[in-house]
Amino acid sequence: MSDIAGTPITVSAPQAEPSLHRVMGPWLLLLFIVGDILGTGIYALTGQVAKQVGGVVWLPFLVAFIVALVTAFSYLELVTKYPKAAGAALYTHKAFGIHFITFIVAFAVMCSGITSASTASRAFAANMSSALNLGLAGTFGITAIGLGFMALVAAVNLRGVGESVKANVVLTCVELTGLLIIITIGMMAIMGGQGDVSRVLEFKTAGDAGAFWPVIAATTLAFFAMVGFEDSVNMAEECKDPSHIFPKVLLAGLIITGLIYVLVSISAITLVPPEQLGEGETPLLKVVQAGAPNFPIWIFGFITMFAVANSALINMLMASRLVYGMSREHVLPPVLGKVHATRRTPYVAIGFTTLLAFALITFVGEVPALGGTTALLLLCVFTVVNIAVLVLRKDRVEHDHFRTPTVLPILGALACAFFAGPWTGRDPVQYQIAGVLIGIGIVLWIVTVMVNRATGEQPSAPDPDDFGRVGPMN
């Protein structure tokens, strides 16, 4: 889930901040990390992945896990080397020292949060329609529910939301319960001779296409399911003995979620043929109906709705806070940094990010396009982070820290850049969406530069309390 940087924005006079309380042991940290990664991706995109590769739906999730794992090693070196400056934008600034590059990375992270929240909003609407038998699939009704849900998220965001590790644990249990239900249903069906296990090794691609490129294309979607591991490094400051336990626990969390995704994929494809799994936007509901027809479908529908709703809320909190922070650092227009007098929340930033989400839900709509754009933006950010690790090797620190083998950030940068490229078969609309979002950021940055020159204001170095300690979650 998100870190404590998702708390409401308040304005106060500058003062020395106390250090964070180190309360998280390895087990609580592990549950937190697993919850940070689990979410909308596996609930919403399993069917779309199956549509591209057929029965080997588990393979793209496995490849995405490997790419995430390699990049996680880079984050581990950076977060243990700079424990007070967690976040891609801050690592970028330390490595390159160029304000514009730092801004682009921060804005890309913000945009990935909005596209992720929009994906969750669409998934919420589709699952609500199926769970309540509203019959809205494929109609404007799904979009209308998604817009209404996003408006509710904005209202909650405006009111102010405080989060805690305990709340994250509860929400993690809900998300995990839904996936364990799918795995249990699948395993019981397999043991009972139900379904077709042989499908898990079947490639089904369009025309005479080989297996390689369809798997690569599907991986660009499946990578969205791994979003969140990079945000969990922000909890290192609240861990007991983080230099020793955090690397092991983060890697364990990635392995656990990767295993869950593979088992969910196997259960799904065993019970539902890939062509049926790829229809609509509620693939896991179909699995429950096929494997346990007597299971109350509305219960699983509400579990799914609850899981993706939390993803949307946290991501919109993160996005609005990033906009607020960048405004405060004078790299976005100052109006975006205004705080509500009574609620003490960044109401203009919330309005700005909500309008972007409304536009995405209305004019893009489809989950694959939104989820794929989230993965595209983050793959570009991860490419920069992997390079930053190598650049910062020349920067020595006095304390001991985790050091990843040099080959891993090299492989990570190459892999992330590869999966972000058009040769993967990625839908061109994802580049259009990302281009429009980043273009909006560049226009706002140019306007801000002109205002700064007119007023004599100079942007300061990025402050981790403003936009370094937040990131998107799945």
Side-chain angles (χ1 to χ4, degrees):
M1 315 307 249
S2 76
D3 60 45
I4 61 170
T7 51
I9 306 304
T10 59
V11 176
S12 58
Q15 58 182 349
E17 292 292 335
S19 61
L20 295 172
H21 189 30
R22 298 190 182 276
V23 297
M24 299 185 72
W27 292 108
L28 186 59
L29 177 63
L30 179 62
L31 191 59
F32 183 93
I33 289 172
V34 170
D36 214 347
I37 301 172
L38 294 179
T40 306
I42 189 67
Y43 279 101
L45 292 177
T46 305
Q48 297 302 318
V49 173
K51 184 185 292 186
Q52 297 202 43
V53 298
V56 291
V57 61
W58 52 271
L59 185 56
F61 286 105
L62 181 60
V63 176
F65 158 74
I66 293 172
V67 175
L69 183 65
V70 172
T71 301
F73 277 96
S74 293
Y75 271 91
L76 284 174
E77 175 166 336
L78 291 170
V79 76
T80 55
K81 190 174 184 178
Y82 307 109
K84 296 295 183 182
L90 269 296
Y91 301 145
T92 302
H93 189 76
K94 281 185 173 293
F96 307 107
I98 301 174
H99 285 288
F100 180 70
I101 296 179
T102 303
F103 164 75
I104 288 297
V105 169
F107 202 83
V109 171
M110 184 277 294
C111 291
S112 71
I114 295 177
T115 54
S116 180
S118 301
T119 308
S121 179
R122 179 82 183 195
F124 176 92
N127 279 279
M128 180 178 177
S129 175
S130 295
L132 300 180
N133 293 317
L134 299 180
L136 299 177
T139 71
F140 179 74
I142 294 293
T143 300
I145 292 177
L147 291 172
F149 171 72
M150 187 56 67
L152 179 61
V153 168
V156 174
N157 199 350
L158 279 169
R159 183 173 180 82
V161 175
E163 293 195 83
S164 67
V165 171
K166 292 182 180 179
N168 284 323
V169 168
V170 173
L171 295 171
T172 296
C173 291
V174 172
E175 293 173 340
L176 187 57
T177 297
L179 298 179
L180 291 180
I181 288 173
I182 295 294
I183 293 172
T184 301
I185 289 175
M187 295 303 106
M188 291 180 65
I190 291 173
M191 290 186 293
Q194 185 181 356
D196 185 358
V197 183
S198 66
R199 281 198 292 255
V200 301
L201 297 177
E202 292 179 356
F203 278 100
K204 289 186 179 179
T205 57
D208 297 326
F212 180 77
W213 288 110
V215 170
I216 296 299
T219 300
T220 63
L221 275 180
F223 193 81
F224 176 55
M226 299 307 302
V227 171
F229 76 90
E230 77 289 347
D231 191 32
S232 62
V233 300
N234 296 323
M235 297 308 298
E237 290 183 55
E238 289 150 277
C239 298
K240 301 172 182 177
D241 195 14
S243 296
H244 291 92
I245 72 167
F246 195 86
K248 296 177 182 178
V249 175
L250 176 58
L251 297 178
L254 273 169
I255 292 172
I256 290 171
T257 51
L259 179 61
I260 289 173
Y261 286 168
V262 168
L263 291 176
V264 167
S265 301
I266 291 174
S267 297
I269 207 65
T270 296
L271 292 171
V272 182
E275 57 274 10
Q276 294 180 23
L277 197 64
E279 295 175 353
E281 299 178 69
T282 57
L284 298 191
L285 285 180
K286 295 179 182 179
V287 178
V288 175
Q289 290 172 321
N294 295 325
F295 187 91
I297 194 64
W298 64 269
I299 293 180
F300 189 83
F302 274 100
I303 289 175
T304 304
M305 289 164 59
F306 192 65
V308 302
N310 182 64
S311 297
L313 176 59
I314 304 308
N315 277 297
M316 292 307 289
L317 281 166
M318 177 278 293
S320 60
R321 191 178 193 278
L322 268 171
V323 169
Y324 167 84
M326 286 187 282
S327 174
R328 202 166 100 171
E329 295 300 318
H330 307 290
V331 293
L332 283 180
V335 66
L336 293 171
K338 289 184 176 294
V339 175
H340 195 276
T342 55
R343 291 296 177 189
R344 315 291 282 184
T345 50
Y347 68 100
V348 179
I350 291 171
F352 172 73
T353 52
T354 301
L355 287 176
L356 288 180
F358 280 170
L360 290 171
I361 295 169
T362 302
F363 298 110
V364 180
E366 295 299 320
V367 165
L370 293 171
T373 303
T374 303
L376 171 62
L377 290 165
L378 288 179
L379 283 166
C380 293
V381 170
F382 293 164
T383 302
V384 175
V385 170
N386 279 300
I387 295 172
V389 172
L390 300 173
V391 173
L392 289 169
R393 283 284 169 85
K394 66 181 183 294
D395 185 23
R396 304 293 182 181
V397 295
E398 296 180 358
H399 62 275
D400 293 333
H401 62 84
F402 181 88
R403 182 182 173 92
T404 183
T406 302
V407 67
L408 291 183
I410 294 174
L411 291 175
L414 292 174
C416 291
F418 173 79
F419 279 104
W423 44 79
T424 59
R426 184 184 295 276
D427 190 338
V429 74
Q430 296 173 21
Y431 294 101
Q432 297 170 12
I433 298 168
V436 169
L437 291 173
I438 298 299
I440 291 172
I442 292 175
V443 169
L444 291 174
W445 182 82
I446 293 173
V447 170
T448 307
V449 168
M450 296 173 63
V451 171
N452 289 342
R453 288 178 178 175
T455 59
E457 186 69 59
Q458 291 293 326
S460 57
D463 183 346
D465 287 335
D466 284 334
F467 60 91
R469 283 179 42 80
V470 287
M473 58 159 287
N474 182 28

